[in-house]
Amino acid sequence: MNDLTPHHLLQTPEPSATDPDPQETAEWTEAFHALAATQGPVRARQMLDALARVARERRIGWQPELCTPYMNTIAVNEQPVFPGDLAIEERLASLMRWNALAMVVRANQSESGGSSELGGHIASYASAADLFETGFNHFFRAREGTEPGQHRGDLVFFQPHSAPGVYARAYLEGRLTEKDLSFYRQELTAPAQQAQGLCSYPHPYLMPDFWQFPTGSMGIGPISSIYHARFMRYLTHRRLLDCTGRKVWGVFGDGEMDEPESMSALTLAAREGLDNLVWVVNCNLQRLDGPVRGNGRIIDELEKLFAGAGWNVIKLVWGSDWDGLFARDLTGALTQAFAHTVDGQMQTFAAKDGRFNRDNFFGQNEELARLAQGMTDEQIDRLKRGGHDLVKIHAAYAAAANHRGQPTVILAHTKKGYGMGSAGQGRMTTHSQKKFDETDLIEFRNRFNLPLSDEQARRIDFYKPAADSPEMQYLHARRAALGGYLPRRDTAADVVPVPPLAGYAQFALAADGKEMSTTMAFVRMLGSLLKDSALGPRIVPIVADEARTFGMANLFKQVGIYSSVGQRYAPEDIGSVLSYREALDGQILEEGISEAGAMASWTAAATSYSVHGLAMLPFYIYYSMFGFQRVGDQIWAAADQRARGFLLGATSGRTTLGGEGLQHQDGSSHLIAATIPNCKAYDPAFAGELAVILNRGMQEMMVEQQDVFYYVTLMNENYAQPDLVPGAEADIIRGCYLFKRYAAQDEGSTGQTARSVTLLGSGAILTEVIKAAQLLAAQGIHATVYSVTSWSELARDGAETQREALQGQTAAEPFIAQQMASSTGPIIAATDYVRAVPESVRAWLPAGRSYLTLGTDGFGRSDTRAALREFFSVNARSIANAALHQLQST
């Protein structure tokens, strides 16, 4: 609000009870108006704050509304001059709308070679086109380079269902061809036609030079954008990379705000003062099936939510052609009408024509009817909502970009399917609209005054102006001024050397029977790696909470916990060697009890090489049960974004975490990890194995710059750690190595050749497998023990050899079969995970040998490790009995 705002717009909604003294109310109201008029808004706010304090002190039970009238936050007189060529920008937006529509419709016309099964969306981009175009023409900055003084680019998260519009712009920019557009959602078919197939939504894995951020899973984009913005502050405060002057922009849907991930970190963004973050929520009032809030107003609801969380809220509700109506509305009829119009009704107004809106909106009372006098039905039909007015959008974006101290959300009122007319504007079915008849196409052409003949419109031809046209020259000039084209994904990053393995892990390679857990071994290695001059500063240790549980308290003083404000208090344990230390340049990211937040931080660090041109190496350690099971969708999105880093599933397995019970005991994470193609999952039993795995992962990610990430499970159980088996390094990485042979103890006394069994074990249960081998040897049975470090890598190797064989290629024998060739007898596999994990290699084992798997299927229990392993039949005695059973059966 401002000094020129009409008095009636400052009025609060009428109280439900009758005013007992209207004259006194009028006097108070008039006094406040006089104060605001003579002393300005700052003094007016001071007075309101003072009154609010008095009300709290007297326990009146009142607090100010967080919701403002249903109108624009930025008044007309506060709008900056529009800096662009409005006519050209409107023409360009219209062309992109058409090409986006043509792309989807052509892909779904089976009679023209397309397939009606491909799907696609038109309506979302139709509502967001102007929001995108204003950003592209004036705000979204691309990476100029990585040299000092060059802008490193803004981060832009695009509403996923609007991907066709982004492709349409790239076509005009010359980054995609007409043939590429013709193969929308046909990624497998396109290469045979010398075209690039275009994926459905933003997927960096599928289009690694184009898309930066995957947003197709609702809610993942919003939380990711917050933690990317915070990670940029982290890089700046640690003096690794100056990210000042860069913004994170996110265009999201109003329905998407119902996802818990969308809302879970709003207070973090405000608490951290992330004024480098701007969200644009496309409030087209409609989800996939119907209104977002049919019986309420989503813009009001979101305003309260964001304002309460501490965000700067800008409402972009009405276009410029409403300004005159508001100026003439001296009685407040418009604001009163909007205050009583719910979104379900607003959607109906969007779907109907000017005559309907004249009769049903402006016809509600005489004041509204007078406002509509002199307007034709067509003029009423074309009254724009704020999200379709480039001038209003620019004003909102400029205010957001210049705001300091808070993140900003722009609540932009739009129409879903804007411009689609009877074919889908504002209709319940518009989200899935992908077909147009000839009449609809001609109507769309006319609505946006497109330079297409009737025949071109009917054929749904793509349209691209001549290279020397004013539109094309303007389009390229605007992007040149902003550093280049977007979206664009760059991957150039300096190689970061990894220190020699023995330098930080000799204690694990030559453990000499010392007792420790693999978790403690990891933390010790991490502490040493952090001291390395080259790699150390690039490491990002991440925990959600319980760093002390994982033995990481010694790192608090070594590298500190990141805080954007440093440490403003003396911690309770300040005298302790392991005291809590927060610092502006702290290295650890401790996210509180939010696995979603910690995972979003991990993704920001794991993709820094592409987002910022600076390779970072995150290690996120957490209770393994609260990883893939809880935030699996985020892990999948990170895989899509080609993340590089380590996920450490601590206290893993269903029996290693004694006492905790059902909710904490993980028996399935390796099963889920195996489904992610670029995730390499390992379950090491010993510190030496862990060291080899970490070393290989760092080499792959930081030196070879491979787009992989590692999932490594760790145990909190202390047991004797053997020296690393000489020469086992390569086999450990491939997934399995010969640990030891246990000879039958009484073979010579009986004069008979002892029977043999082969035992496979991983992680926490390998120690039980070793004990079982010793029990069997005492009973006169040879036992060969293999440590399986990765079931999923063995299964992938087997599947690859099968694929090669089926394609007629000369295929090697599966690695697991090669390993088993040096042993005999039935094979028994035992793990701390569900049996499906060891079952995954069954097909690749040598023919003719029986295979029995033992696992921890079912729910966990609260008890000791020994009791749990007996209950799930994965203790040494159960494994030995299973081996004896198999011997008797063969």
Side-chain angles (χ1 to χ4, degrees):
M1 297 301 172
N2 58 77
D3 294 342
L4 300 181
T5 304
H7 287 178
H8 70 270
L9 297 184
L10 295 171
Q11 295 175 350
T12 56
E14 296 180 5
S16 56
T18 304
D19 188 343
D21 194 339
Q23 182 176 348
E24 183 182 34
T25 301
E27 290 172 356
W28 276 82
T29 302
E30 200 57 44
F32 182 76
H33 288 327
L35 175 71
T38 58
Q39 300 189 43
V42 173
R43 178 57 180 156
R45 286 194 293 271
Q46 290 175 342
M47 185 59 67
L48 290 173
D49 289 340
L51 290 173
R53 285 193 294 272
V54 171
R56 285 195 295 271
E57 290 168 359
R58 295 187 62 84
R59 303 181 186 275
I60 301 299
W62 173 89
Q63 61 184 15
E65 281 273 350
L66 291 175
C67 191
T68 58
Y70 203 73
M71 58 184 298
N72 295 340
T73 300
I74 301 173
V76 178
N77 64 301
E78 295 175 334
Q79 291 177 195
V81 175
F82 185 74
D85 187 316
L86 185 60
I88 288 182
E89 291 191 26
E90 287 181 339
R91 288 200 296 273
L92 283 170
S94 296
L95 291 177
M96 289 167 203
R97 277 193 171 93
W98 172 262
N99 286 329
L101 177 150
M103 185 190 330
V104 176
V105 174
R106 287 174 62 156
N108 287 277
Q109 285 189 330
S110 54
E111 64 271 15
S112 62
S115 172
S116 58
E117 71 186 49
L118 291 175
H121 304 86
I122 300 170
S124 289
Y125 176 68
S127 66
D130 298 302
L131 301 174
F132 282 2
E133 283 305 297
T134 303
F136 278 124
N137 287 322
H138 300 283
F139 294 95
F140 299 163
R141 298 197 62 174
R143 185 191 299 185
E144 297 172 348
T146 57
E147 296 299 320
Q150 291 183 314
H151 199 283
R152 294 247 177 168
D154 293 337
L155 283 56
V156 185
F157 290 75
F158 293 97
Q159 189 177 6
H161 293 105
S162 296
V166 181
Y167 294 141
R169 168 170 265 271
Y171 166 59
L172 292 191
E173 293 169 340
R175 303 168 63 207
L176 296 175
T177 68
E178 182 173 321
K179 184 171 282 189
D180 294 333
L181 264 60
S182 298
F183 285 91
Y184 172 62
R185 292 196 173 201
Q186 298 165 76
E187 296 173 81
L188 300 178
T189 309
Q193 302 299 322
Q194 291 74 53
Q196 175 182 1
L198 304 180
C199 55
S200 55
Y201 306 119
H203 293 299
Y205 194 86
L206 300 175
M207 297 178 68
D209 299 324
F210 192 85
W211 293 113
Q212 265 195 307
F213 304 106
T215 56
S217 185
M218 300 287 97
I220 303 301
I223 190 173
S224 184
S225 72
I226 291 174
Y227 281 88
H228 271 285
R230 203 279 296 270
F231 189 71
M232 288 164 68
R233 290 288 174 82
Y234 171 88
L235 293 176
T236 300
H237 289 153
R238 289 194 57 216
R239 299 179 181 177
L240 294 171
L241 183 68
D242 185 1
C243 295
T244 55
R246 298 171 64 193
K247 293 285 186 183
V248 178
W249 297 85
V251 182
F252 307 118
D254 48 357
E256 187 174 5
M257 293 300 104
D258 283 343
E259 291 285 5
E261 293 88 353
S262 297
M263 299 288 101
S264 65
L266 294 187
T267 54
L268 176 136
R271 185 170 68 248
E272 297 284 313
L274 298 181
D275 52 18
N276 60 341
L277 176 66
V278 179
W279 280 12
V280 181
V281 180
N282 177 19
C283 297
N284 59 33
L285 313 185
Q286 189 171 327
R287 293 179 285 101
L288 279 64
D289 293 329
V292 177
R293 293 291 183 275
N295 296 303
R297 286 192 299 278
I298 188 61
I299 289 180
D300 288 352
E301 182 178 321
L302 292 178
E303 180 183 20
K304 293 177 182 178
L305 181 65
F306 281 93
W311 287 51
N312 174 44
V313 180
I314 297 175
K315 289 167 74 170
L316 173 59
V317 185
W318 305 115
S320 300
D321 38 13
W322 285 89
D323 290 340
L325 293 174
F326 280 112
R328 297 200 307 272
D329 179 25
L330 302 180
T331 65
L334 271 179
T335 53
Q336 287 296 319
F338 290 137
H340 295 92
T341 302
V342 296
D343 284 353
Q345 185 61 48
M346 196 73 75
Q347 184 188 13
T348 300
F349 291 146
K352 301 298 183 179
D353 58 16
R355 168 53 61 179
F356 180 91
N357 283 283
R358 179 191 297 278
D359 294 341
N360 292 275
F361 179 76
F362 290 104
Q364 294 180 71
N365 55 56
E366 293 184 5
E367 289 86 352
L368 289 174
R370 279 196 294 269
L371 289 175
Q373 285 180 356
M375 297 178 68
T376 66
D377 290 346
E378 183 179 7
Q379 287 175 319
I380 293 175
D381 188 48
R382 295 210 173 196
L383 285 170
K384 288 182 179 178
R385 296 180 180 179
H388 301 304
D389 187 313
L390 297 178
V391 173
K392 298 288 189 183
I393 298 170
H394 180 272
Y397 281 22
N402 293 325
H403 187 75
R404 295 293 176 264
Q406 295 170 285
T408 293
V409 62
I410 298 170
L411 304 177
H413 194 197
T414 65
K415 293 181 181 180
K416 192 155 189 178
Y418 177 67
M420 290 169 62
S422 58
Q425 179 172 286
R427 296 186 180 277
M428 295 290 191
T429 57
T430 191
H431 181 78
S432 299
Q433 184 73 26
K434 60 185 71 71
K435 295 182 180 181
F436 277 60
D437 61 28
E438 292 185 358
T439 302
D440 294 329
L441 293 168
I442 296 296
E443 182 180 330
F444 191 94
R445 187 273 315 268
N446 295 341
R447 171 67 180 81
F448 292 105
N449 195 26
L450 295 163
L452 297 166
S453 67
D454 287 357
E455 183 58 27
Q456 288 174 314
R458 294 190 188 99
R459 288 199 311 258
I460 328 176
D461 289 352
F462 294 119
Y463 184 83
K464 187 174 185 178
D468 60 353
S469 67
E471 291 84 0
M472 295 297 283
Q473 291 182 345
Y474 185 90
L475 175 126
H476 291 297
R478 291 310 309 147
R479 287 315 310 163
L482 291 168
Y485 302 106
L486 283 177
R488 186 183 77 225
R489 183 175 177 273
D490 300 299
T491 58
D494 291 339
V495 169
V496 181
V498 175
L501 176 59
Y504 63 88
Q506 186 60 31
F507 76 93
L509 302 176
D512 195 27
K514 183 178 180 181
E515 287 201 354
M516 71 180 84
S517 68
T518 51
T519 297
M520 292 311 301
F522 162 72
V523 173
R524 184 171 171 181
M525 285 184 243
L526 180 64
S528 295
L529 288 168
L530 285 164
K531 296 173 183 176
D532 183 74
S533 60
L535 180 64
R538 305 297 187 94
I539 291 175
V540 185
I542 302 172
V543 288
D545 199 20
E546 297 198 82
R548 297 181 192 274
T549 299
F550 304 133
M552 297 176 66
N554 63 309
L555 299 181
F556 292 167
K557 279 198 171 181
Q558 180 180 337
V559 296
I561 299 164
Y562 172 70
S563 167
S564 61
V565 296
Q567 191 163 30
R568 297 174 173 174
Y569 62 94
E572 172 272 330
D573 58 353
I574 193 169
S576 168
V577 176
L578 306 178
S579 65
Y580 202 77
R581 183 174 78 87
E582 298 185 70
L584 185 65
D585 62 350
Q587 199 160 346
I588 301 170
L589 290 174
E590 189 165 28
E591 303 299 5
I593 305 177
S594 173
E595 286 84 4
M599 190 64 215
S601 267
W602 182 87
T603 302
T607 58
S608 178
Y609 75 94
S610 64
V611 175
H612 306 295
L614 182 75
M616 302 293 287
L617 185 64
F619 290 86
Y620 170 31
I621 186 168
Y622 56 90
Y623 274 69
S624 64
M625 188 65 163
F626 304 142
F628 287 86
Q629 177 168 302
R630 174 166 288 188
V631 292
D633 200 10
Q634 285 180 270
I635 297 175
W636 183 260
D640 188 350
Q641 202 174 330
R642 296 173 174 254
R644 301 173 186 172
F646 288 92
L647 298 174
L648 290 310
T651 63
S652 71
R654 190 146 281 164
T655 69
T656 190
L657 187 59
E660 288 286 359
L662 184 150
Q663 186 63 31
H664 288 67
Q665 294 170 347
D666 166 32
S668 57
S669 66
H670 274 285
L671 190 64
I672 306 172
T675 66
I676 302 178
N678 51 347
C679 173
K680 294 189 174 184
Y682 290 91
D683 186 31
F686 299 127
E689 298 172 357
L690 173 63
V692 170
I693 292 164
L694 293 180
N695 183 69
R696 179 58 194 146
M698 291 188 291
Q699 292 287 341
E700 273 194 277
M701 292 179 248
M702 304 303 285
V703 179
E704 300 169 17
Q705 299 192 347
Q706 298 295 312
D707 295 343
V708 297
F709 66 98
Y710 277 45
Y711 174 58
V712 185
T713 41
L714 306 173
M715 278 70 70
N716 67 337
E717 181 180 359
N718 291 318
Y719 46 74
Q721 298 287 336
D723 292 350
L724 182 69
V725 173
E729 290 86 351
D731 290 353
I732 287 172
I733 298 304
R734 295 193 70 176
C736 175
Y737 73 98
L738 173 61
F739 176 73
K740 191 173 181 180
R741 301 183 192 276
Y742 295 83
Q745 295 177 8
D746 59 351
E747 180 180 5
S749 63
T750 62
Q752 298 179 350
T753 301
R755 294 172 296 174
S756 298
V757 296
T758 300
L759 304 181
L760 310 183
S762 68
I765 300 304
L766 181 59
T767 57
E768 298 293 334
V769 169
I770 292 170
K771 293 174 187 176
Q774 295 167 343
L775 290 174
L776 291 167
Q779 298 178 55
I781 299 169
H782 285 306
T784 303
V785 174
Y786 289 86
S787 174
V788 177
T789 51
S790 178
W791 299 98
S792 56
E793 287 301 295
L794 292 174
R796 287 172 180 173
D797 172 81
E800 178 61 19
T801 61
Q802 182 185 65
R803 185 191 67 81
E804 292 173 355
L806 292 174
Q807 292 182 348
Q809 303 176 30
T810 301
E813 188 179 23
F815 180 69
I816 182 65
Q818 295 176 39
Q819 294 292 80
M820 296 298 101
S822 63
S823 67
T824 58
I827 304 170
I828 294 88
T831 78
D832 217 7
Y833 299 89
V834 294
R835 291 178 59 214
V837 172
E839 282 289 336
S840 65
V841 304
R842 178 181 290 275
W844 323 119
L845 293 169
R849 293 178 65 179
S850 65
Y851 184 55
L852 177 67
T853 59
L854 304 175
T856 54
D857 296 69
F859 288 114
R861 300 290 194 279
S862 298
D863 215 306
T864 63
R865 293 190 184 103
L868 288 168
R869 288 169 184 170
E870 182 176 13
F871 173 76
F872 284 110
S873 299
V874 291
N875 60 353
R877 185 177 60 81
S878 298
I879 296 167
N881 287 342
L884 292 171
H885 178 272
Q886 290 300 97
L887 284 170
Q888 293 169 1
S889 302
T890 55

